[in-house]
Amino acid sequence: MILLRRHKGGLLLSAALMASSPAVAASPEEDARVASELGILMTPPGAALTPDDATDAKQIGQRIRWAGGVHSISPSERGVCLTILYARSGEYGEPQWTPDPTYQTFVACTDGAYDPQLVQAHTNVTIIGTVTGKRYIGMGGGGSEGPVVTIERLYRWSDCLAGDDSPACRTGFLEPAATVDESDAKSDD
C-alpha cells in the first residue's frame, strides 16, 4: 500500500503493508493510481513562476503547477472559476502552509464544474494549467491583479484521517462535470 506521511512540513511517499488493518488496505489498482498521480505531480510542467511573476503579459501561455487553498468558486461563461490562495508547494506539488504566507492569489478556470462536496472553500488543491491572462482579484476588503489560469488538471488533497473512505475524503485528480446550459434546460420544460 502507498502511504503519504507528514514529515517536517512536507509529505513522504512510503510503501507499507497494512495487512492487519483491512479498512486501510488499498487494492493494487488504487496503489498504481496513486503512484501514477504522484509521479505526474512530481514533474512540474513548465515555468518556475509564482502568481506574482505570472501577472506580466510575457508569461501568458506558460504552463504552471501551483498549490493552494480554494477561497471561493464563481460561475463563468463555460464553467467555474476558483479563486485560490497560493501556497508554496512540496516535492509532490502539495500545498505547504507556513507561518510566512505568500499573500498571492490566482484564478483557475475550467469548462464544467467540480463536485461541490469535493471542491469548496478551504479545499487544498494543486493546479496544473496554462496562464491565460490576469484580472483584479478582490478578497476581504482588498485585492490586486492576479493571473488567470486555464485548468488542465486539478488534484484534490484530503485532510481526512487514514482509513476514512467516505466520498468527501477523495484524494486525487478530479474531472469537471459538464454544466447544463440554462437555455437548454428551459427548452426541456
Side-chain angles (χ1 to χ4, degrees):
M1 169 177 217
I2 296 173
L3 296 175
L4 290 177
R5 297 182 321 199
R6 296 217 176 270
H7 177 70
K8 296 181 184 175
L11 293 177
L12 289 178
L13 179 64
S14 64
L17 295 173
M18 302 292 288
S20 63
S21 180
V24 178
S27 68
E29 294 82 14
E30 180 67 8
D31 284 349
R33 179 192 66 83
V34 170
S36 172
E37 289 181 349
L38 290 174
I40 292 167
L41 290 170
M42 288 179 66
T43 308
L49 299 172
T50 67
D52 281 353
D53 298 334
T55 58
D56 186 332
K58 68 183 177 187
Q59 302 304 337
I60 291 176
Q62 291 289 333
R63 292 189 73 229
I64 54 84
R65 180 197 73 187
W66 289 336
V70 176
H71 177 271
S72 60
I73 301 170
S74 58
S76 69
E77 289 179 16
R78 298 177 6 193
V80 296
C81 291
L82 313 173
T83 300
I84 299 176
L85 304 172
Y86 172 76
R88 291 171 188 88
S89 59
E91 180 181 358
Y92 298 104
E94 77 280 7
Q96 291 190 328
W97 301 104
T98 65
D100 197 18
T102 66
Y103 299 107
Q104 297 180 56
T105 56
F106 64 99
V107 173
C109 300
T110 190
D111 292 343
Y114 295 101
D115 182 336
Q117 290 185 337
L118 296 176
V119 178
Q120 56 187 286
H122 309 295
T123 301
N124 285 320
V125 297
T126 298
I127 303 292
I128 296 173
T130 304
V131 177
T132 56
K134 67 180 179 178
R135 74 166 67 151
Y136 180 79
I137 303 172
M139 296 179 0
S144 62
E145 291 285 321
V148 176
V149 173
T150 297
I151 299 172
E152 294 171 23
R153 306 284 308 262
L154 178 142
Y155 190 90
R156 180 190 190 273
W157 298 93
S158 175
D159 59 359
C160 294
L161 297 174
D164 188 342
D165 62 356
S166 63
C169 291
R170 175 155 172 14
T171 296
F173 285 112
L174 302 179
E175 294 296 326
T179 56
V180 177
D181 184 1
E182 288 181 26
S183 61
D184 291 342
K186 288 178 184 176
S187 65
D188 291 340
D189 292 337

